[in-house]
Amino acid sequence: MSVNCPLNLNHRSGMGHASHVPTNSRPVSRLAAVAAGLTALTGLAIAGIGVGSAIANSKLFGIGVAAVLVGYGAAMIALSWLVIRGRAWAMGLVVAAALLHLLVVGSFLTTDDRAQFLGSLAVLPVILATVIAGVVSIGRRPS
């Protein structure tokens, strides 16, 4: 019977040592790596927007919005790291986040504010590439 434990207690020295190979991971495809990289880039951008929001509006509400944006950006970066580490379940969350981002960008594309429209138009290819790479990598995953 095998136990899914990161500590190898069968080492000859009698001392357990941490395994460097994740116990429930799979090899990462190039498409999954692309989706993870673009998600990390998106996370950095969202965290940066959060920092900018805190600087621009130091009132309590502005700090709260900034904290949520920085936390969400950090979550995107963490998901990217999990995908690169071979955690198959994390790719589903990457695709879900990218679809959410696509909806947000689509919403901003309908605005009359030129800056929001142009900003959304600029990030649209990154979001589309993340969705496509993520979905295709899941579809090509060996079972």
Side-chain angles (χ1 to χ4, degrees), residues 90-135:
M91 182 52 77
L93 295 175
V94 164
V95 171
L99 289 170
L100 175 67
H101 300 157
L102 190 59
L103 290 172
V104 170
V105 167
S107 172
F108 281 134
L109 285 173
T110 64
T111 185
D112 291 332
D113 185 339
R114 185 165 171 80
Q116 285 183 358
F117 176 81
L118 292 175
S120 296
L121 199 58
V123 300
L124 182 60
V126 173
I127 303 303
L128 281 173
T130 306
V131 170
I132 292 167
V135 169

Side-chain angles (χ1 to χ4, degrees), residues 9 11 46 48 50 56 67 70 73 75 83 89 94 98 116 123 126:
L9 299 177
H11 192 261
I46 292 170
V70 170
V83 167
W89 58 268
V94 164
Q116 285 183 358
V123 300
V126 173

Side-chain angles (χ1 to χ4, degrees), residues 29-63:
S29 71
R30 287 186 183 151
L31 285 173
V34 166
L38 292 174
T39 300
L41 183 65
T42 302
L44 284 172
I46 292 170
I49 291 168
V51 170
S53 174
I55 292 169
N57 186 0
S58 61
K59 293 192 169 46
L60 185 59
F61 181 76
I63 297 297

